[in-house]
Amino acid sequence: MNTLPGYLRQAGTALRFLLLATVVLGLIYPLVVFGIGQAVAPFQANGSIVKDAAGKPVASALIAQVSADNAGTQNPQWFHARPSAAKWDPGASTASNLGPNDPKLLDAVKANRAAIAAEEGVKESDVPADAVTASGSGLDPQISVAYARLQVPRVAKAHGLSPETVQAMVDRRTVTGLEAFLGQPSVNVTELNLDVAAAAPASAAPAK
């Protein structure tokens, strides 16, 4: 009995299924998802890109944009993000991988708290926890409202703005309620620093 036609039929069925799956899953489905994303949430679908006062794309609201030296010291003219084991490098997202009882972590937290207290002119007990501990990704742009408010006097002075003006920016950028979902109220440092740069007098704004 010749079984060749049976194999050919099976091969033909497999080929037709492959072509159908390629068209549906490789073309139609991605286009439908892309279209829904553009219609429902275009900002998020396109990378959450934020622009400067001139309308130029400058950053993603999902990633902390930090001006820091090689030692990891952040520029004192701007609002600081959380510490980062990745030095805020988007290509090297990572956590410190240090346990809560690791002496290295405890030493780093102690050093960070002392440095921030000195920079902001406050007591060490006034420094919030997120100011001295890194996020899991090392790129988190969100900080607590308490940490943002702690930095207001320094940033306002550096840019020739009143503390009230900068505090109003913090309040405007504070995310709460359903927008914060299950998290605590927070402030996006990347967006906040863009607000400061846009509002700062030209003579006081730092060179880019």
Side-chain angles (χ1 to χ4, degrees):
M1 180 176 178
N2 188 357
T3 59
L4 182 59
Y7 284 118
L8 290 177
R9 286 196 298 272
Q10 291 179 12
T13 300
L15 180 59
R16 288 193 296 272
F17 180 79
L18 174 62
L19 292 175
L20 177 63
T22 299
V23 172
V24 174
L25 301 178
L27 182 63
I28 297 177
Y29 176 74
L31 288 176
V32 169
V33 173
F34 175 79
I36 293 175
Q38 295 299 317
V40 176
F43 177 70
Q44 292 83 354
N46 291 305
S48 300
I49 302 300
V50 291
K51 302 177 181 180
D52 61 14
K56 177 182 177 182
V58 292
S60 170
L62 302 175
I63 299 175
Q65 302 290 320
V66 174
S67 174
D69 58 25
N70 292 333
T73 300
Q74 300 187 62
N75 190 322
Q77 295 174 314
W78 302 102
F79 280 95
H80 295 340
R82 296 179 64 178
S84 172
K87 297 292 188 271
W88 307 280
D89 179 4
S93 175
T94 184
S96 68
N97 292 325
L98 299 176
N101 296 320
D102 193 309
K104 292 182 180 179
L105 177 62
L106 299 178
D107 290 344
V109 167
K110 183 178 179 180
N112 288 339
R113 180 173 285 111
I116 291 173
E119 182 177 35
E120 308 297 349
V122 299
K123 297 182 295 184
E124 291 189 17
S125 58
D126 293 331
V127 177
D130 65 306
V132 298
T133 54
S135 65
S137 67
L139 306 175
D140 189 356
Q142 305 289 343
I143 61 174
S144 67
V145 177
Y147 189 27
R149 289 175 177 171
L150 188 72
Q151 302 180 65
V152 165
R154 168 177 53 79
V155 174
K157 182 178 179 180
H159 290 269
L161 298 169
S162 70
E164 292 76 16
T165 297
V166 178
Q167 180 59 55
M169 296 179 191
V170 172
D171 294 340
R172 186 167 61 251
R173 288 297 182 184
T174 297
V175 176
T176 60
L178 290 177
E179 193 173 0
F181 194 47
L182 298 178
Q184 297 295 321
S186 61
V187 183
N188 188 300
V189 171
T190 299
E191 295 176 334
L192 184 57
N193 280 331
L194 284 173
D195 289 346
V196 172
S203 58
K208 302 227 175 149

